[in-house]
Amino acid sequence: MFEALNTTSAIHFGSAYLQSLPTQIMGGDVGAIVIGLILFYISLIILNKLSYYLLKVIKYLVVVAIVLSAFYSLIMTFLEKFAGADPTYTILGLIGIAVGFVGVIIALYSLFKQATKTTKLATANNAKMLAYHKQLLMDEKARLENERKRLEMERVKVKKSALQQIVTKQSVLLSIVTYIMIAEFGVFSSVTISAPTPEIGMIMAGMFIVGVVAYVYKTYPHPIVGLKYLAVAFVFAYLLSLLLGHYWVGHTL
């Protein structure tokens, strides 16, 4: 057991898994598709060859691709096993399809909203740059600086009400829960390759958790809030995995 806990075994497994990733993606492994899209997005961030605005849109594109692949796998599995299935399986399948449909709508709407926002920001940024190059007079710069200070003071005075904050938090949590549900339904509905031993699986899971925490802490505007959402996501995903593993796939508790 302790020999399996060494980091070398986990690295070997991770290396072999990455090498087989293209084949698994082509085979419809939802877990492999999720990992492949995440690695693709991370590589874009590391290479930093795209603008900040375009990266934001691509992030939502990745989410849409993950949700669609999981939703497709869920539907195909449900249709194959629907005939003669027990009532519990049928009810879970219908719930999963309903949640999956909502998840697709949310993901597409978020993509549309981000793309629209990005277009407006890019247009406004280009207009500001053009005006800046055309007007370099000191008095104009002073006026713009005074205007910026005035707007900043107004922004500080305007605070969201308590009700608005609650609605915003609930909206974010609802999106997180919806994405987790459709993703897990998709993973449990496809042929996903597991780690060779539970110990190596725990090591890989630990590495993944460290990476997710680091990503949230570095990229979220309010890291503490992001980590709270992440904690809720982990707890919900763990409990849902037990439910689906037992009732959807048939594993013993």
Side-chain angles (χ1 to χ4, degrees):
M1 174 178 176
F2 288 103
E3 292 179 357
L5 281 172
N6 64 74
T7 308
T8 304
S9 299
I11 293 176
H12 286 168
F13 170 74
S15 176
Y17 185 81
L18 289 176
Q19 292 176 8
S20 65
L21 202 58
T23 303
Q24 295 179 50
I25 292 175
M26 296 300 296
D29 184 338
V30 175
I33 293 173
V34 172
I35 293 175
L37 289 170
I38 291 174
L39 291 176
F40 168 71
Y41 180 67
I42 292 175
S43 65
L44 291 179
I45 295 176
I46 294 175
L47 293 175
N48 198 22
K49 297 296 184 181
L50 301 175
S51 68
Y52 168 79
Y53 299 117
L54 189 55
L55 276 176
K56 294 282 287 185
V57 174
I58 290 177
K59 183 176 76 171
Y60 284 88
L61 273 174
V62 169
V63 172
V64 170
I66 291 174
V67 171
L68 286 176
S69 63
F71 188 48
Y72 174 79
S73 180
L74 165 63
I75 291 178
M76 292 297 100
T77 301
F78 181 74
L79 292 177
E80 289 176 3
K81 300 182 179 180
F82 176 74
D86 59 83
T88 303
Y89 183 89
T90 303
I91 292 173
L92 275 176
L94 293 175
I95 292 175
I97 291 175
V99 172
F101 180 76
V102 174
V104 170
I105 297 300
I106 292 176
L108 290 174
Y109 174 74
S110 299
L111 173 62
F112 171 77
K113 187 175 180 181
Q114 183 62 39
T116 304
K117 179 181 177 181
T118 297
T119 302
K120 291 180 179 178
L121 288 174
T123 303
N125 185 59
N126 290 336
K128 288 180 181 179
M129 291 298 296
L130 181 61
Y132 176 77
H133 287 294
K134 287 183 177 180
Q135 302 178 17
L136 293 176
L137 298 176
M138 293 301 297
D139 57 338
E140 181 65 14
K141 291 178 65 177
R143 188 188 68 81
L144 290 175
E145 181 63 20
N146 292 334
E147 181 68 12
R148 186 193 66 80
K149 290 181 179 179
R150 186 183 66 81
L151 292 175
E152 181 66 20
M153 292 177 63
E154 290 182 359
R155 187 189 66 81
V156 173
K157 292 179 181 179
V158 178
K159 296 182 179 179
K160 290 183 179 180
S161 65
L163 178 60
Q164 287 177 316
Q165 293 180 10
I166 293 175
V167 170
T168 300
K169 291 180 179 179
Q170 289 179 342
S171 176
V172 173
L173 287 174
L174 178 61
S175 298
I176 292 173
V177 169
T178 302
Y179 289 154
I180 289 175
M181 290 187 69
I182 181 58
E184 286 205 20
F185 264 108
V187 169
F188 277 104
S189 300
S190 65
V191 180
T192 304
I193 296 179
S194 61
T197 65
E199 290 77 16
I200 292 180
M202 292 298 292
I203 293 175
M204 301 302 294
M207 295 169 62
F208 170 76
I209 291 173
V210 171
V212 171
V213 171
Y215 174 81
V216 170
Y217 189 79
K218 290 289 291 183
T219 59
Y220 272 56
H222 303 289
I224 301 301
V225 176
L227 292 176
K228 289 180 180 179
Y229 288 151
L230 183 60
V232 173
F234 272 128
V235 173
F236 177 77
Y238 173 71
L239 296 177
L240 181 62
S241 69
L242 295 180
L243 176 67
L244 294 181
H246 181 64
Y247 292 103
W248 184 255
V249 183
H251 295 316
T252 59
L253 287 176

